[in-house]
Amino acid sequence: MSIAHAPPSAPESAASAAWAALASHARGLAAHSIAAQLEGEGPRVSRLGPASWDYGKQRLDARAWELLLAWAEAAGATQAIEAMFAGESINRSEARPALHVALRAHEEDAGDIAPEAVRDAIAERTRMYALVESLRTGERRGATDRRFTDLVHIGIGGSALGPRLVCEALDPRSADGPRVHFLDPLEDHARHELLAALDPERTLVCVASKSFGTVETLYEAEQVRAWIRAGLGEAQRGWARHFVAASAELEAVRAWGIEASQMLRTWDWVGGRYSAWSAVGFPIAWRLGAAQHGAWLEGAREVDRHLREASLAEMLPLRRALLGIYLQAFEGLDSQCVLTYDGRLRSWVPYLQQLFMESNGKCVDVEGRALPASSPASPWLWGGPGVAAQHAYLQQLHQGPRAAAVEFLAVVRDPGAAPESHRQRLTNCLAQSRALMIGRQVPGEPHRCMPGDRPSTLWLLDQLDARAIGMLMATAEHEVYLRGALLGVNSFDQWGVELGKGLAREIAPQLDAGHDEDASADSLDASTRDLLRRIRAQRDQSL
Ligand code: F6P
């Protein structure tokens, strides 16, 4: 079992002493099996609204939880929460607050959350609802005076993942509601297939980009604008009526040609991966209507209130953050696999991947000090639909040489599903969780043995509705923030994505260079130069 270095805290501080006590206890727990612990401690479940989180199949005993909470207190969990809600610049490297909680707040919360942000958020949400209503009712129409039936959402990362997750999770059965389609930038084949099925006169486009500078998103928006203009024929001067935008850079949006009345704003105090609650979530209001959008926000607000009112011991997002830290630090589980047993949550893993790994996948702390390679701030998060995984990679989770931290997610009531398939999904979910823990010994047939004693947790949602998905997303946001804060990581910047973007700009001209490379190729490494040569030669050959 790998014992991680203590998180960055002053030597001999209360936090380092608490961590040392925890590490010592963790060493002792290694000899205890999960099954025995479960018998001794009994089921452990935290409930929050329509969601229950089962964390009983874990090696931790009550004492381990006490020590984890003592460390969390000493490491500043309470102060971190205060700082976020007060609008302090917790995004230190960009000197910005992180106030996504303001996006789902009520007026009366302004006393507890940065008041100006709350008021701005409520005002902009009111504008968004009014715009959505005018578009849904046909008060606002396209350039040929046709009502919009379909929305094409163009965005990437946090400007698409959250809205897509919610629209898929809550996709109303009614086929007559306005439709929404998410375009992944640069995917020409998918774009051609989608646009071939749409009527440009009745298609609305949302360009979501906080920076309004993301190359892929703007390229995609150009392609769709060209399709809209071509489809409008003589009415193409009115193309802007088909576009709305959600951005923090309204001047850039205006320069692109979108009308002020169809611009919606987000702010620099909203991180991209935390922005679905802002105007970036336009497709949610379009698809589901203001009431469902509001219920979704309310689910998240319930978790925000929970964070303000619960004790640390009862704080579910903190408990989740602490378990993740424990598993990575003391059981060496760097890999976290999330398995969903409801197709409406097919975008849950991609959403979590950005939230966890773009937030906490850092090698320095907020002070710029190097974090140890063993830092338990961020797992490699992966996974996907559980039923399919059972016939694909669950083999390695059961019989591989190393375990992963596994989380299952299932929905108890699914009235829209056929009873038999729903029953099979639930039984499979429970069976896989149990199998990881108990394993199997087959004397004389080692190839059929499974070590077992592998931990997992299980989210059970009573039903998948707006409130539940709002709570689930907000819980994940706070879990990520607390995990980062306790370990000294800034969960709100993402400098690591900049280098690749810059190198792409450097390499691009080389793809267009003739056979004789231009001088700038010398700045490239031999591998990249050779690959460029091959691509050019292969491409020219096929011309
Ligand atoms: O490049 C990373 C990133 O900035 C993410 O943090 C963000 O969610 C995504 O790209 C899209 O950025 P924007 O909303 O500015 O287009």
Side-chain angles (χ1 to χ4, degrees), residues 190-202:
R191 181 191 324 118
H192 294 151
E193 188 179 337
L194 171 64
L195 299 185
L198 297 182
D199 175 352
E201 293 187 63
R202 311 195 70 177

Side-chain angles (χ1 to χ4, degrees), residues 155-160 208-214 217 246 271-273 275 280 354 358 494 497-498 501:
I156 201 164
S159 289
S209 175
K210 178 181 169 187
S211 62
F212 220 77
T214 299
T217 299
R273 51 196 172 273
S275 66
V280 165
Q354 185 193 21
E358 195 171 79
Q494 53 283 322
V497 302
E498 297 309 317
K501 293 177 185 177

Side-chain angles (χ1 to χ4, degrees), residues 101-387:
V101 291
L103 299 172
R104 55 247 189 170
H106 295 172
E107 284 279 9
E108 67 260 25
D109 299 327
D112 179 40
I113 303 172
E116 206 173 303
V118 172
R119 274 194 289 277
D120 286 352
I122 292 171
E124 198 62 15
R125 185 163 66 241
T126 305
R127 275 196 71 229
M128 180 175 80
Y129 286 164
L131 177 59
V132 166
E133 189 61 16
S134 68
L135 291 162
R136 283 178 120 227
T137 58
E139 181 194 330
R140 273 179 190 254
R141 293 168 174 248
T144 56
D145 205 30
R146 309 283 299 281
R147 274 180 69 162
F148 295 115
T149 55
D150 291 80
L151 171 72
V152 173
H153 183 84
I154 300 173
I156 201 164
S159 289
L161 289 167
R164 174 181 286 204
L165 166 65
V166 178
C167 287
E168 290 172 351
L170 302 178
D171 193 33
R173 291 271 161 223
S174 62
D176 61 351
R179 290 183 292 271
V180 66
H181 314 274
F182 289 86
L183 262 186
D184 291 321
L186 306 188
E187 291 298 341
D188 303 282
H189 300 287
R191 181 191 324 118
H192 294 151
E193 188 179 337
L194 171 64
L195 299 185
L198 297 182
D199 175 352
E201 293 187 63
R202 311 195 70 177
T203 298
L204 180 68
V205 185
C206 177
V207 184
S209 175
K210 178 181 169 187
S211 62
F212 220 77
T214 299
V215 172
E216 302 91 329
T217 299
L218 295 179
Y219 172 84
E220 196 65 23
E222 289 291 352
Q223 307 313 303
V224 177
R225 174 161 64 177
W227 173 77
I228 291 275
R229 295 180 72 159
L232 292 177
E234 290 177 4
Q236 64 169 286
R237 287 169 58 87
W239 68 265
R241 293 168 62 173
H242 292 250
F243 280 79
V244 299
S247 182
E249 301 300 333
L250 298 188
E251 275 317 304
V253 175
R254 193 186 322 279
W256 199 82
I258 291 178
E259 295 168 358
S261 64
Q262 302 201 167
M263 288 181 199
L264 293 164
R265 70 162 311 154
T266 181
W267 297 269
D268 65 9
W269 42 263
V270 180
R273 51 196 172 273
Y274 299 86
S275 66
W277 320 96
S278 73
V280 165
F282 177 87
I284 301 168
W286 161 267
R287 174 74 179 137
L288 302 166
Q292 279 285 289
H293 183 276
W296 169 64
L297 291 179
E298 275 310 297
R301 181 174 176 271
E302 277 188 72
V303 181
D304 298 341
R305 302 323 310 154
H306 167 69
L307 225 67
R308 306 297 281 144
E309 292 151 12
S311 68
L312 293 185
E314 291 148 11
M315 198 180 288
L316 201 157
L318 176 64
R319 194 166 280 265
R320 289 178 56 82
L322 291 173
L323 180 60
I325 290 170
Y326 183 93
L327 290 174
Q328 193 166 15
F330 301 116
E331 301 211 3
L333 305 186
D334 284 327
S335 171
Q336 178 163 335
C337 178
V338 179
L339 299 169
T340 50
Y341 280 79
D342 188 311
R344 294 171 291 172
L345 290 169
R346 56 189 175 277
S347 291
W348 178 240
V349 171
Y351 164 78
L352 283 186
Q353 286 178 313
Q354 185 193 21
L355 187 60
F356 271 72
M357 294 193 278
E358 195 171 79
S359 293
N360 292 340
K362 314 277 170 75
C363 60
V364 295
D365 69 10
V366 284
E367 305 297 344
R369 294 173 303 203
L371 288 169
S374 60
S375 163
S378 186
W380 295 105
L381 196 144
W382 58 291
V387 172

